[in-house]
Amino acid sequence: MYRFLLSRQWVILTLIGLVLIPTMIELGFWQLHRHEHRVAQNAKISKALDAEPVPAERLTSPGHSVADSERYRRVTAHGTYDTKDEVVVRRRTNADEEIGFHVLTPFVLDDGKVLLVNRGWIPANGPQTAFPKIPAAPKGEITVTGRLMADETSAQSGIKDVQGLPDRQIMLISSGQQAHSLGKEVLGGYVELTSPEPADGSPQLIGEPEHGDIGPHMAYAVQWWLFCSGVPIGWVVLVRREVRDRRAAAAETAPATESTPAAV
């Protein structure tokens, strides 16, 4: 009765099922690992944001590459803004997905080194080829606080570092490039400003990174494993249906065979 399982159709169906089972198991574990990574990343960001601010030069220095463990750490710095050398970062969005610029202003520390400060977002208020109108930075000596960030790269951000842009416009924030442009010692990475807040709300400060949402990865993992369990169940159901249909067909042909008169 089960010899049909050796037919070409059923062999192919069985092989497909045998391939799907480990594939779905692996996809489920892949989503589980993504879930675990997301949870760990959220915990790391939360810990960094909750830590007490430390002087920026304690975590970074000229030529330093900001490590993952240092990202989002709150740092402070005392000095003055150098607005004559500030640049804007093109094609950046705010919380409402409006396209504009980030304002990157060199902040000269007491020892003469420079810390790059991303003062926030401004709308594109003119042609892309012109330098936009930028709200003035505070004058004189001040203390700033912000989140330490790593230099941006095309691989990390997906943004192409286009050359030949209009004067004082950039695509990616790179302390190395700015050190070359300024001819000064620039601390590695940059800072997303959190305080003092601009008096008129512009530039718009960049909000905290998302660190509360764990995403749908765990649900996707469970879905893959449910699909996996459905493969053998579905195979058994199909086999039983095939057996039932074959028995029904055999039962229908049996009386007809018995009633056929014997040849004389």
Side-chain angles (χ1 to χ4, degrees):
M1 182 57 69
Y2 291 92
R3 290 180 61 84
F4 66 88
L5 292 175
L6 299 177
S7 66
R8 184 169 181 268
Q9 176 185 354
W10 275 94
V11 168
I12 293 175
L13 181 63
T14 302
L15 289 176
I16 290 174
L18 292 175
V19 170
L20 286 177
I21 290 173
T23 300
M24 291 180 177
I25 291 175
E26 183 63 27
L27 287 171
F29 277 111
W30 174 62
Q31 289 291 350
L32 177 62
H33 294 155
R34 293 188 68 187
H35 167 78
E36 292 173 341
H37 174 76
R38 183 69 173 269
V39 171
Q41 186 70 14
N42 286 349
K44 185 184 298 182
I45 294 173
S46 180
K47 181 180 178 181
L49 295 175
D50 291 340
E52 289 296 320
V54 298
E57 289 186 277
R58 186 182 298 180
L59 295 181
T60 182
S61 58
H64 176 75
S65 296
V66 176
D68 285 344
S69 59
E70 299 166 337
R71 289 181 65 197
Y72 305 115
R73 281 292 306 274
R74 292 191 299 156
V75 297
T76 61
H78 185 267
T80 57
Y81 279 115
D82 175 18
T83 55
K84 72 179 185 302
D85 289 320
E86 67 187 350
V87 297
V88 293
V89 191
R90 293 166 60 100
R91 306 292 295 176
R92 299 303 168 105
T93 58
N94 64 0
D96 297 322
E97 298 300 322
E98 298 172 317
I99 298 177
F101 301 93
H102 280 176
V103 179
L104 188 68
T105 309
F107 189 75
V108 184
L109 307 179
D110 295 336
D111 60 4
K113 297 186 180 70
V114 173
L115 174 66
L116 299 177
V117 177
N118 186 340
R119 294 201 289 128
W121 180 90
I122 60 172
N125 49 25
Q128 291 287 311
T129 55
F131 193 72
K133 297 178 181 178
I134 297 176
K139 297 183 181 299
E141 294 188 359
I142 64 168
T143 297
V144 298
T145 303
R147 296 180 292 269
L148 183 62
M149 303 296 293
D151 287 335
E152 297 178 337
T153 64
S154 294
Q156 169 265 330
S157 66
I159 301 173
K160 185 178 180 180
D161 192 10
V162 179
Q163 303 299 314
L165 295 174
D167 188 37
R168 298 172 66 187
Q169 295 190 26
I170 60 176
M171 295 298 297
L172 297 168
I173 302 177
S174 167
S175 58
Q177 290 180 2
Q178 292 306 305
H180 177 76
S181 176
L182 296 171
K184 298 178 180 180
E185 288 189 299
V186 177
L187 303 186
Y190 66 99
V191 165
E192 289 180 347
L193 183 68
T194 57
S195 70
E197 298 184 12
D200 59 355
S202 183
Q204 296 178 17
L205 296 183
I206 300 172
E208 286 188 352
E210 172 59 51
H211 58 285
D213 183 12
I214 61 174
H217 304 300
M218 177 57 79
Y220 290 160
V222 173
Q223 283 182 350
W224 280 118
W225 291 331
L226 288 176
F227 293 156
C228 173
S229 65
V231 171
I233 294 174
W235 185 87
V236 170
V237 169
L238 290 176
V239 169
R240 294 182 65 180
R241 180 181 298 174
E242 182 73 13
V243 170
R244 185 177 64 249
D245 291 346
R246 286 173 177 267
R247 284 175 176 171
E252 290 178 358
T253 57
T257 302
E258 293 174 359
S259 60
T260 302
V264 178

